[in-house]
């Protein structure tokens, strides 16, 4: 049974067909008719002003404009403008300030885990040494490692040295403060 007792199925199909033939603003037909009419009018003006050479040049320019516009419209769906949601990762998350608090707390406690703090500090120092001194921290070259050790100082280098073990299982607060100060001064 029809949900609308006033309209019969023939009227409903005519209404839906009229909706498909809609040429108002925003429809595909309207979006194609407007530039086509403008292009024809431009060609007429070119012909009146410059004659056949202007018509030919105008046709080439309008064809190029149509190709660029078509390429833009066809590729618009694949552009990533940040509107898509980020992929959900089960085993990873982005570090935030709360993660830093936990990482620092765990790195300072004697029975905690200092490895996450050490890894983050190594990445920070690697970035700073690379930016400012053009020195890769993870390089296997002895000269680069010696230069990095000189820049950090002999008392701080063992805490950051990627090849060696840390001097203690936890960071002492004064060493962590010295590392942060040294990172800022680099």
């Amino acid at each position: 049974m029809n949900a609308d007792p006033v309209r019969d199925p023939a009227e409903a199909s005519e209404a839906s067909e009229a909706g498909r033939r809609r040429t108002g603003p925003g429809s595909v037909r309207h979006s194609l008719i407007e530039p086509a009419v403008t292009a024809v009018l431009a060609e007429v003006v070119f012909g009146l002003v410059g004659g056949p050479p202007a018509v030919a040049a105008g046709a080439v320019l309008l064809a190029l404009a149509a190709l660029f516009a078509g390429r833009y419209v066809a590729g618009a769906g694949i552009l990533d403008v940040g509107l898509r949601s980020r992929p959900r990762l089960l085993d990873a998350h982005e570090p935030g300030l709360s993660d830093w608090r936990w990482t620092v707390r765990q790195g300072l406690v004697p029975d905690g885990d200092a490895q996450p703090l050490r890894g983050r500090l190594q990445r920070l120092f690697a970035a700073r040494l690379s930016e400012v001194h053009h020195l890769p921290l993870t390089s296997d070259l002895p000269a680069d490692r010696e230069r990095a050790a000189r820049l950090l100082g002999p008392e701080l280098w063992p805490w950051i040295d990627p090849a060696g073990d840390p001097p203690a299982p936890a960071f002492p607060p004064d060493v962590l403060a010295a590392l942060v100060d040294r990172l800022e001064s680099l």
Side-chain angles (χ1 to χ4, degrees):
M1 176 117 196
N2 192 1
D4 189 1
V6 177
R7 294 176 111 187
D8 66 335
E11 288 179 21
S13 68
E14 287 175 15
S16 66
E17 191 173 324
R20 281 185 290 215
R21 289 186 302 210
R22 189 182 75 146
T23 59
S27 69
V28 174
R29 182 173 287 184
H30 180 262
S31 298
L32 294 175
I33 289 174
E34 291 277 329
V37 169
T38 305
V40 169
L41 290 176
E43 279 295 307
V44 168
V45 170
F46 290 153
L48 292 174
V49 172
V55 171
V60 169
L61 289 176
L62 290 173
L64 287 174
L67 286 174
F68 281 119
R71 183 171 187 260
Y72 175 77
V73 170
I78 62 170
L79 295 176
D80 185 13
V81 293
L83 298 177
R84 279 191 259 163
S85 61
R86 298 185 62 140
R88 183 171 175 229
L89 303 175
L90 296 177
D91 295 334
H93 65 279
E94 290 186 27
L97 288 178
S98 62
D99 291 340
W100 270 102
R101 288 186 193 111
W102 178 87
T103 304
V104 170
R105 192 177 322 118
Q106 289 297 313
L108 292 175
V109 188
D111 59 343
D113 185 13
Q115 192 56 36
L117 178 60
R118 187 168 191 246
R120 286 190 177 187
L121 287 172
Q122 286 173 341
R123 286 190 295 276
L124 287 173
F125 273 99
R128 180 64 73 152
L129 288 172
S130 176
E131 284 176 357
V132 178
H133 299 283
H134 308 290
L135 180 69
L137 181 62
T138 58
S139 174
D140 292 331
L141 300 173
D144 290 342
R145 295 178 54 74
E146 289 173 9
R147 186 170 169 219
R150 276 196 316 272
L151 286 170
L152 263 68
E155 65 281 348
L156 298 178
W157 174 248
W159 293 97
I160 301 300
D161 185 11
D165 292 328
F171 281 86
D174 57 334
V175 170
L176 183 59
L179 283 168
V180 170
D181 290 341
R182 187 66 188 132
L183 182 65
E184 290 176 351
S185 68
L186 281 177

